[in-house]
């Protein structure tokens, strides 16, 4: 494995071997089926484990059901966020709180089979891997539109970010403590884990599976959120849009230069015409290019502005695995934890 400089408070004082992180938002309909499938799988491993259920500001009975389930399942741990912060932020909260030597991330809709988690764990141990990706071998349960847009997304990401990004790998993966510590050391900012995790370059492997239909409820990733995810992925990991703006500007310059030559030729031949149509087209084209360039530049400036503000991506309201109530407003468990720091309330191997 690749060694990472660990925070002293991140030494594995806890005996937890496996953490399963599950972001949840309005999943009351899926929870019974999730527990019915997940618990037997984890119990059968014989490992000491915990299930970190991160409630992302649900408005249904998700929190109440989790509290009821904890009464009969002591390994279930609930981390409740104060408001809906988004799937990736909830996933960040869960990974920051995970105490196991390994952490698997899983969605509550059971489209990704929990039965693959032991296989991931065995593969990581046998081949000394820090990352094991769950790769979708079949997406027949998705709509044709979803399959095509997903294919375009992964193709675009691999072209713009690099071939190290595994195709058809979402947020179903297993991470070692080395990777978790590396993620904690990063500044607090919006993250796209399907691009960020491969970027580290840790030894990795893959486990293929067939993607099932959602067990209950409805998708939390409509078209609008998929578009926002694609935009975040591109802006966060590539300067290609800025280069595209440069090439659009160069193209506009060439077109304008050609128009200038054409105008001079026509003028020298004494065959001048009003030319309002070509003038309008040229003005509209240049104006569109300028607006596109300004929009792309604005996206990057907005990311810089957000980074400078250093606002946390999530706020923890409750953590049933913490000895004390979590501090409001503390969201980034960086390397300063321990020795009475307020960040100890965020959990991790160094806390009870």
């Amino acid at each position: 494995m690749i060694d990472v400089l660990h925070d002293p408070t991140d030494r594995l004082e806890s005996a937890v071997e496996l953490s399963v992180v599950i972001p949840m938002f309005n999943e009351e309909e899926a929870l019974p089926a999730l527990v019915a499938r997940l618990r037997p799988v984890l119990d059968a491993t014989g490992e000491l484990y915990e299930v970190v259920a991160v409630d992302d500001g649900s408005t249904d009975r998700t929190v109440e059901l989790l509290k009821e389930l904890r009464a009969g399942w002591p390994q279930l741990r609930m981390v409740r966020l104060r408001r809906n912060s988004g799937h990736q932020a909830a996933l960040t909260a869960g990974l920051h709180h995970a105490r196991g030597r390994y952490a698997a991330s899983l969605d509550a809709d059971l489209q990704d089979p929990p039965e693959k988690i032991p296989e991931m764990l065995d593969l990581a141990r046998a081949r000394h891997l820090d990352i094991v990706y769950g790769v979708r071998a079949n997406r027949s349960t998705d709509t044709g539109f979803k399959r095509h847009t997903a294919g375009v997304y992964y193709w675009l990401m691999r072209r713009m970010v690099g071939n190290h990004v595994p195709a058809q790998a979402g947020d179903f993966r297993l991470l070692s403590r080395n990777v978790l510590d590396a993620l904690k050391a990063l500044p607090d900012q919006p993250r796209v884990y399907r691009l960020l995790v491969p970027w580290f370059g840790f030894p990795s492997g893959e486990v293929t599976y067939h993607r099932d239909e959602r067990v209950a409820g409805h998708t939390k990733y409509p078209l609008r959120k998929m578009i926002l995810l694609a935009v975040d992925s591109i802006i966060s990991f590539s300067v290609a849009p800025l280069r595209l703006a440069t090439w659009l500007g160069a193209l506009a310059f060439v077109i304008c230069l050609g128009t200038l030559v054409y105008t001079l030729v026509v003028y020298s031949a004494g065959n001048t015409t009003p030319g309002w149509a070509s003038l309008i087209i040229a003005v509209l084209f240049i104006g569109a290019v300028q607006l596109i360039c300004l929009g792309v530049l604005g996206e990057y400036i907005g990311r810089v502005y957000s980074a400078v503000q250093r606002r946390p991506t999530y706020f923890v309201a409750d953590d049933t695995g913490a000895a004390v109530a979590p501090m409001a407003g503390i969201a980034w468990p960086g390397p300063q934890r321990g020795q009475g720091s307020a960040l100890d309330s965020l959990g991790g191997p160094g806390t009870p």
Side-chain angles (χ1 to χ4, degrees):
M1 292 186 182
I2 296 177
D3 292 330
V4 175
L5 182 59
H6 297 272
D7 181 344
T9 64
D10 284 335
R11 299 192 186 280
L12 298 178
E13 300 171 1
S14 172
V16 175
E17 180 71 11
L18 175 65
S19 298
V20 180
V21 177
I22 311 176
M24 296 183 180
F25 177 67
N26 292 344
E27 296 290 359
E28 64 172 340
E29 297 179 16
L31 262 177
L34 172 66
V35 174
R37 283 182 60 181
L38 179 61
R39 184 172 185 179
V41 170
L42 297 180
D43 288 343
T45 62
E47 305 286 355
L48 291 176
Y49 70 86
E50 65 172 357
V51 177
V52 184
V54 183
D55 176 68
D56 189 21
S58 297
T59 56
D60 62 358
R61 296 187 63 250
T62 298
V63 174
E64 288 78 5
L65 289 177
L66 287 173
K67 290 179 179 179
E68 294 174 6
L69 290 167
R70 286 194 69 249
W73 194 9
Q75 292 88 352
L76 178 61
R77 178 182 172 194
M78 183 182 69
V79 176
R80 184 172 65 87
L81 305 187
R82 292 192 177 277
R83 64 176 181 85
N84 179 252
S85 302
H87 180 269
Q88 297 295 296
L91 181 56
T92 299
L95 294 176
H96 282 176
H97 285 70
R99 297 170 177 167
R101 292 186 63 245
Y102 294 92
S105 53
L106 177 73
D107 287 339
D109 56 13
L110 290 177
Q111 287 190 286
D112 304 326
E115 292 79 8
K116 287 290 182 177
I117 294 178
E119 183 179 345
M120 290 177 161
L121 186 59
D122 291 341
L123 181 63
R125 288 169 170 171
R127 296 175 53 185
H128 304 288
L129 303 176
D130 287 296
I131 305 169
V132 178
Y133 299 102
V135 178
R136 301 153 182 165
N138 188 304
R139 303 190 64 151
S140 58
T141 57
D142 292 337
T143 63
F145 176 78
K146 181 66 176 292
R147 288 196 301 270
H148 286 91
T149 54
V152 171
Y153 171 83
Y154 286 108
W155 174 84
L156 186 61
M157 292 304 104
R158 289 169 66 88
R159 289 293 301 271
M160 299 181 67
V161 179
N163 291 329
H164 61 276
V165 177
Q168 302 301 327
D171 289 317
F172 183 38
R173 66 179 72 86
L174 180 80
L175 305 177
S176 72
R177 174 53 52 181
N178 277 339
V179 182
L180 294 174
D181 288 338
L183 290 172
K184 286 183 181 182
L186 293 177
D188 189 26
Q189 58 186 354
R191 301 177 180 183
V192 181
Y193 282 100
R194 61 191 67 189
L195 302 182
L196 179 60
V197 171
W199 173 81
F200 282 117
F202 285 96
S204 62
E206 296 181 356
V207 168
T208 59
Y209 67 96
H210 292 276
R211 188 168 172 82
D212 298 325
E213 293 183 359
R214 185 181 176 86
V215 67
H218 60 278
T219 180
K220 306 304 188 297
Y221 251 80
L223 179 61
R224 180 183 65 87
K225 288 191 175 182
M226 288 191 291
I227 293 175
L228 291 176
L229 175 65
V231 172
D232 285 340
S233 301
I234 295 172
I235 299 299
S236 300
F237 282 86
S238 176
V239 295
L242 291 176
R243 292 171 180 165
L244 177 62
T246 301
W247 284 108
L248 284 175
L251 177 62
F253 175 78
V254 171
I255 292 176
C256 291
L257 186 62
T259 304
L260 175 62
V261 173
Y262 171 77
T263 302
L264 292 176
V265 171
V266 171
Y267 179 79
S268 62
N271 195 17
T272 58
T273 58
W276 64 271
S278 59
L279 178 63
I280 291 298
I281 292 173
V283 171
L284 291 178
F285 176 76
I286 295 174
V289 170
Q290 289 176 334
L291 290 176
I292 291 173
C293 295
L294 286 175
V296 170
L297 188 60
E299 285 289 335
Y300 282 93
I301 293 177
R303 295 301 194 279
V304 174
Y305 177 66
S306 298
V308 171
Q309 286 181 312
R310 297 181 62 84
R311 291 178 180 173
T313 55
Y314 65 85
F315 288 84
V316 175
D318 298 306
D319 177 9
T320 59
V324 295
M327 297 287 291
I330 300 299
W332 176 50
Q336 296 83 14
R337 296 185 299 136
Q339 300 179 353
S341 169
L343 291 176
D344 290 342
S345 62
L346 288 170
T351 58

